[in-house]
């Protein structure tokens, strides 16, 4: 490279760039860009700085991030050879909206505003591509989990375990079948582990921006250096769940998954001391002898998990069980994750343990119908207590934690201390479920292990599809229990009716804003099921079998005609969404 002039080097970069390939080579001499070199770890520009130049990457990898720089800083976008960065601030005369750090040694060309405008005037295709690039960046946002998966690393933390050996023998075939030719596993039928940190760094550098998903394997913890982890899009740590002690490297990546492998006769996973307190996105439990679990692992590695999202709706929540029955019957989709809010969190917690629909129905009958879940209490914090339901839940789950489910589980509550929707990905299951179900005023708030208070997640989002979409590029089926306002819920001045109860007023008031939030997220799902349960009052638990049947019938009808395309399925009697 040093033998070439800056103009010749720039010509090579433009010729290989998707964005700049239409720029005539003879026009480059007049540009006179500023060549710059940075060492790994150096900042190219910082958030809040004035934007004086835009940059085209000549070689190396640049990472964009927000906030202060620290060892655990996560980039939200990687920029590679031929890419343009910093153009938004320059064209819009705005301060830098993000910081840029060299993830490897870096060479760039800097263009001032006059040069950038000159480039745009030379090619209408460049103008179109630039608009598309800006739109793509805006749609992805600044969540590092939304960037395309290019570099995936599987770290075998239990190399001597027969469980990991068995899984690694069958995993490549499943990955290739999902990748449709876009997955590169290197040479040979098996994943070959890297043994040298520098070799892995070079391979990760070459794979970044190549347009393929590349899966790497390591076994030595020292290979997971900070600089190598910065180049990863996804880190998957394989462990033997039965081991008494495992050395797991502390991940610096936000998108890290802990996979615990279990023998085929394992009834329930159980968290060991070494498996808790890690900075991971979630924990996945896999029965090493089951093909369906191996396929679930492959989908998770490639961020293609299938997710079932269950919304809130009180007694109407038994429709969720009917939906699960239809899914299990027609086998339309293998579900990998279940996420729920309010009554949806309760159903999700049972479904996450791979129970049949009739088993879930039986447990709900015990927890909600027969145990008299609402016990009247002194109205200091709430009208009722959920102590009876908590007792039944603890009897079922025992010591199992959220991390100990076969399907990845996430419950959502409203954190009153932060005023944000919180997803519970670890910890005590009954606490998470009750926090998600605690309608303010009707049930008392639930305190978590850190002292924060939580109430019903439906206050902020009654159908949390957006958090599901942030975790997967796979298919999402959501079940909405929101209903159209009818004459019984219409509080207009011309209506003649008895006044609503205190409980009904609290619930309807709570859901006003949440309904619109939920509706805005429906476009992110592949299929939204909306069973016809509007005639069932929110707290009419004696109608639970009607809710179940409504959910089952609607899901069976919708799934039978569903081809996987984005759809919103409505019952025939509804003309519009709520």
């Amino acid at each position: 490279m040093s033998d070439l002039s800056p103009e010749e080097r720039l010509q090579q970069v433009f010729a290989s760039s998707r964005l700049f390939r239409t720029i005539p080579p003879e026009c480059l001499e007049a540009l006179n860009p500023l060549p710059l070199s940075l060492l790994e770890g150096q900042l190219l520009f910082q958030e809040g700085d004035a934007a004086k130049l835009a940059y085209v990457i000549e070689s190396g990898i640049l990472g964009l991030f927000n906030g202060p720089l620290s060892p655990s800083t996560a980039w939200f976008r990687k920029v590679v050879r031929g890419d343009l960065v910093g153009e938004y601030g320059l064209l819009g005369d705005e301060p830098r909206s993000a910081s840029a750090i060299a993830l490897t040694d870096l060479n760039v060309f800097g263009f001032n505003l006059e040069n950038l405008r000159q480039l745009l005037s030379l090619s209408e295709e460049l103008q179109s591509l630039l608009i598309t690039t800006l739109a793509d960046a805006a749609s992805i946002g600044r969540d590092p989990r939304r960037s395309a998966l290019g570099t995936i690393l599987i770290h075998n933390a239990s190399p001597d375990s027969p469980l990991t050996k068995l899984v690694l023998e069958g995993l490549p075939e499943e990955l290739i079948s999902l990748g449709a030719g876009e997955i590169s596993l290197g040479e040979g039928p098996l994943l070959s582990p890297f043994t040298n940190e520098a070799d892995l760094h070079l391979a990760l550098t070459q794979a970044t921006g190549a347009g393929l998903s590349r899966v790497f394997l390591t076994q030595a913890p020292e290979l997971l250096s900070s600089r190598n982890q910065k180049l990863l899009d996804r880190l998957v740590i394989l462990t033997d769940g039965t081991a008494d002690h495992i050395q797991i490297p502390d991940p610096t990546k936000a998108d890290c998954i802990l996979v615990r492998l279990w023998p085929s006769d394992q009834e329930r996973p159980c968290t060991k001391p070494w498996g808790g307190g890690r900075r991971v996105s979630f924990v996945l439990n896999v029965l090493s002898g089951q093909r369906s679990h191996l396929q679930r692992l492959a989908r998770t590695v490639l961020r293609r998990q299938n997710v079932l999202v269950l919304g809130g709706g009180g007694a109407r929540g038994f429709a969720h069980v009917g939906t699960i029955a239809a899914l299990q019957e027609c086998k339309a989709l293998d579900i990998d994750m279940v996420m729920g809010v309010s009554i949806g969190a309760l159903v999700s917690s049972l479904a996450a343990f791979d129970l049949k629909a009739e088993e879930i129905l039986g447990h709900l009958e015990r927890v909600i119908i027969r145990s008299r879940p609402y016990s009247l209490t002194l109205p200091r914090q709430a009208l009722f207590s959920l102590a009876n339901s908590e007792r039944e839940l603890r009897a079922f789950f025992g010591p199992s934690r959220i991390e100990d489910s076969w399907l990845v589980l996430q419950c959502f509550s409203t954190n009153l201390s932060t005023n944000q929707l919180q997803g519970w990905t670890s910890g005590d299951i009954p606490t998470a479920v009750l926090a998600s179900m605690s309608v303010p005023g009707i049930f008392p708030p639930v305190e978590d292990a850190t002292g924060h208070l939580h109430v019903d997640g439906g206050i902020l989002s009654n159908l949390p599809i957006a958090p599901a979409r942030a975790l997967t590029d796979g298919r999402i089926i959501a079940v909405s229990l929101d209903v159209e306002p009818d004459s019984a819920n219409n509080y207009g001045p011309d209506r003649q009716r008895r006044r609503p109860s205190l409980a009904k007023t609290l619930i309807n008031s709570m859901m006003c804003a949440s309904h619109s939030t939920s509706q805005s997220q429906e476009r992110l799902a592949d299929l939204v099921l909306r069973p016809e349960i509007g005639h069932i009052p929110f707290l009419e638990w004696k109608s639970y079998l009607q809710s179940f049947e409504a959910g089952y019938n609607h899901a069976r009808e919708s799934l039978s005609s569903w081809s996987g395309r984005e759809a919103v399925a409505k019952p025939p009697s509804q003309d519009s969404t709520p």
Side-chain angles (χ1 to χ4, degrees):
M1 183 181 297
S2 58
D3 295 334
L4 301 176
S5 67
E7 291 79 12
E8 291 172 324
R9 288 160 48 193
L10 183 62
Q11 183 175 339
Q12 287 188 351
V13 173
F14 275 24
S16 62
S17 170
R18 182 184 71 91
L19 191 61
F20 295 103
R21 63 177 182 268
T22 58
I23 300 297
E26 62 271 13
C27 298
L28 300 182
E29 294 182 5
L31 293 177
N32 193 29
L34 175 66
L36 295 171
S37 296
L38 283 80
L39 297 177
E40 177 188 320
Q42 286 187 312
L43 287 172
L44 179 61
F45 54 77
Q46 195 158 7
E47 187 175 355
D49 288 349
K52 297 180 180 179
L53 296 174
Y55 302 93
V56 175
I57 309 301
E58 179 184 9
S59 63
I61 304 170
L62 186 72
L64 301 181
F65 67 95
N66 288 113
L69 180 63
S70 70
S72 61
T73 294
W75 48 261
F76 60 82
R77 178 185 161 201
K78 287 189 293 188
V79 190
V80 297
R81 176 179 170 86
D83 286 350
L84 178 67
V85 66
E87 76 283 1
Y88 181 82
L90 187 62
L91 291 171
D93 192 23
E94 296 283 345
R96 300 291 189 193
S97 61
S99 299
I101 187 171
L103 300 180
T104 66
D105 290 347
L106 190 72
N107 290 293
V108 301
F109 288 103
F111 292 86
N112 59 29
L113 182 58
E114 181 181 349
N115 288 156
L116 188 57
R117 286 174 173 169
Q118 185 177 353
L119 281 172
L120 291 172
S121 68
L122 293 173
S123 169
E124 291 185 1
E125 183 176 350
L126 173 58
Q127 298 172 24
S128 176
L129 286 172
L130 180 59
I131 293 174
T132 301
T133 301
L134 290 171
D136 289 343
S139 66
I140 293 173
R142 303 202 167 187
D143 185 342
R145 296 171 298 186
R146 299 308 307 142
S147 298
L149 284 185
T151 51
I152 305 166
L153 189 141
I154 300 175
H155 177 70
N156 183 6
S158 304
D160 298 325
S161 167
L163 298 180
T164 57
K165 291 179 181 178
L166 180 61
V167 165
L168 288 174
E169 286 176 358
L171 185 58
E173 181 181 350
E174 300 298 341
L175 290 173
I176 291 173
S177 67
L178 287 173
E182 297 180 358
I183 305 299
S184 174
L185 299 173
E187 298 179 358
L190 299 177
L191 285 165
S192 300
F194 278 80
T195 58
N196 182 280
E197 192 272 349
D199 289 346
L200 176 60
H201 185 74
L202 177 60
L204 291 172
T205 301
Q206 293 173 341
T208 299
L212 296 174
S213 294
R214 180 79 190 275
V215 182
F216 301 89
L217 176 65
T218 61
Q219 294 181 167
E222 58 268 21
L223 269 63
L224 290 183
S225 61
S226 176
R227 69 172 188 162
N228 281 345
Q229 289 200 46
K230 287 177 180 177
L231 297 180
L232 296 180
D233 296 317
R234 169 153 284 193
L235 172 61
V236 180
I237 301 178
L238 291 185
T239 63
D240 183 336
T242 66
D244 293 326
H245 177 73
I246 294 179
Q247 181 184 0
I248 301 179
D250 286 325
T252 59
K253 277 287 300 174
D255 191 7
C256 174
I257 301 153
L258 178 63
V259 179
R260 302 186 305 190
L261 307 178
W262 304 93
S264 58
D265 59 350
Q266 185 79 19
E267 183 178 352
R268 278 191 185 181
C270 53
T271 298
K272 297 286 184 73
W274 56 262
R278 299 288 174 179
R279 186 174 177 266
V280 298
S281 297
F282 55 86
V283 175
L284 176 66
N285 294 294
V286 173
L287 286 172
S288 58
Q290 283 200 15
R291 173 78 186 278
S292 62
H293 280 228
L294 188 61
Q295 292 171 331
R296 180 177 298 156
L297 173 58
R299 288 192 292 269
T300 301
V301 168
L302 298 179
R303 201 172 64 197
R304 297 181 189 176
Q305 312 97 296
N306 299 318
V307 186
L308 179 63
V309 181
L310 304 180
R316 302 162 184 155
F318 278 84
H320 291 323
V321 190
T323 299
I324 293 171
L327 280 167
Q328 293 176 347
E329 181 181 288
C330 71
K331 296 179 171 49
L333 199 67
D334 292 323
I335 299 299
D336 305 310
M337 307 178 70
V338 283
M339 307 171 78
V341 64
S342 198
I343 187 66
L346 175 57
V347 178
S348 294
S349 68
L350 297 169
F353 282 84
D354 243 355
L355 301 180
K356 296 296 183 183
E358 56 266 26
E359 295 178 280
I360 297 174
L361 182 61
H363 287 301
L364 288 178
E365 286 177 325
R366 189 189 74 254
V367 172
I368 294 181
I369 306 303
R370 293 196 293 268
S371 70
R372 300 180 63 186
Y374 301 164
S375 54
L376 193 62
T377 184
L378 291 176
R380 293 178 179 175
Q381 290 184 310
L383 297 176
F384 300 96
S385 167
L386 284 170
N388 292 343
S389 293
E390 181 177 4
R391 182 185 65 250
E392 295 296 331
L393 287 174
R394 295 199 180 281
F396 172 77
F397 290 114
S400 296
R401 298 166 57 85
I402 292 176
E403 308 97 297
D404 298 333
S405 56
W406 291 117
L407 304 183
V408 176
L409 170 65
Q410 195 164 157
C411 304
F412 291 90
S413 65
T414 298
N415 188 324
L416 294 180
S417 303
T418 62
N419 295 327
Q420 293 181 342
L421 188 70
Q422 176 169 317
W424 296 63
T425 57
S426 63
D428 183 66
I429 297 176
T431 300
V433 169
L434 294 176
S436 185
M437 294 178 63
S438 293
V439 179
I442 297 179
F443 304 116
V446 173
E447 184 175 348
D448 66 17
T450 64
H452 289 185
L453 294 179
H454 298 257
V455 294
D456 196 312
I459 291 178
L460 296 179
S461 178
N462 206 40
L463 193 64
I465 300 174
R469 182 50 73 198
L471 289 175
T472 183
D473 298 325
R475 293 177 177 176
I476 296 176
I477 295 179
V479 185
S480 173
L481 303 181
D482 290 349
V483 297
E484 287 279 10
D486 56 21
S487 58
N489 291 329
N490 191 327
Y491 303 136
D494 298 328
R495 297 289 182 178
Q496 297 296 321
R497 81 192 62 77
R498 53 184 184 149
R499 291 289 181 179
S501 65
L502 172 60
K504 190 170 185 178
T505 299
L506 287 171
I507 291 169
N508 288 340
S509 300
M510 180 188 80
M511 300 306 296
C512 285
S514 178
H515 286 169
S516 60
T517 301
S518 300
Q519 285 179 312
S520 68
Q521 297 183 21
E522 289 184 358
R523 62 180 178 81
L524 301 174
D526 296 273
L527 178 67
V528 178
L529 299 173
R530 196 173 285 113
E532 194 170 4
I533 36 78
H535 61 285
I536 300 174
F538 191 92
L539 298 176
E540 190 68 50
W541 297 104
K542 66 182 181 181
S543 301
Y544 73 97
L545 290 179
Q546 296 179 38
S547 294
F548 174 88
E549 289 296 331
Y552 172 76
N553 292 331
H554 179 56
R556 186 178 61 174
E557 178 184 351
S558 301
L559 291 170
S560 65
S561 59
W562 182 51
S563 62
R565 296 187 297 269
E566 184 178 5
V568 177
K570 305 175 185 178
S573 61
Q574 286 185 262
D575 296 324
S576 59
T577 57

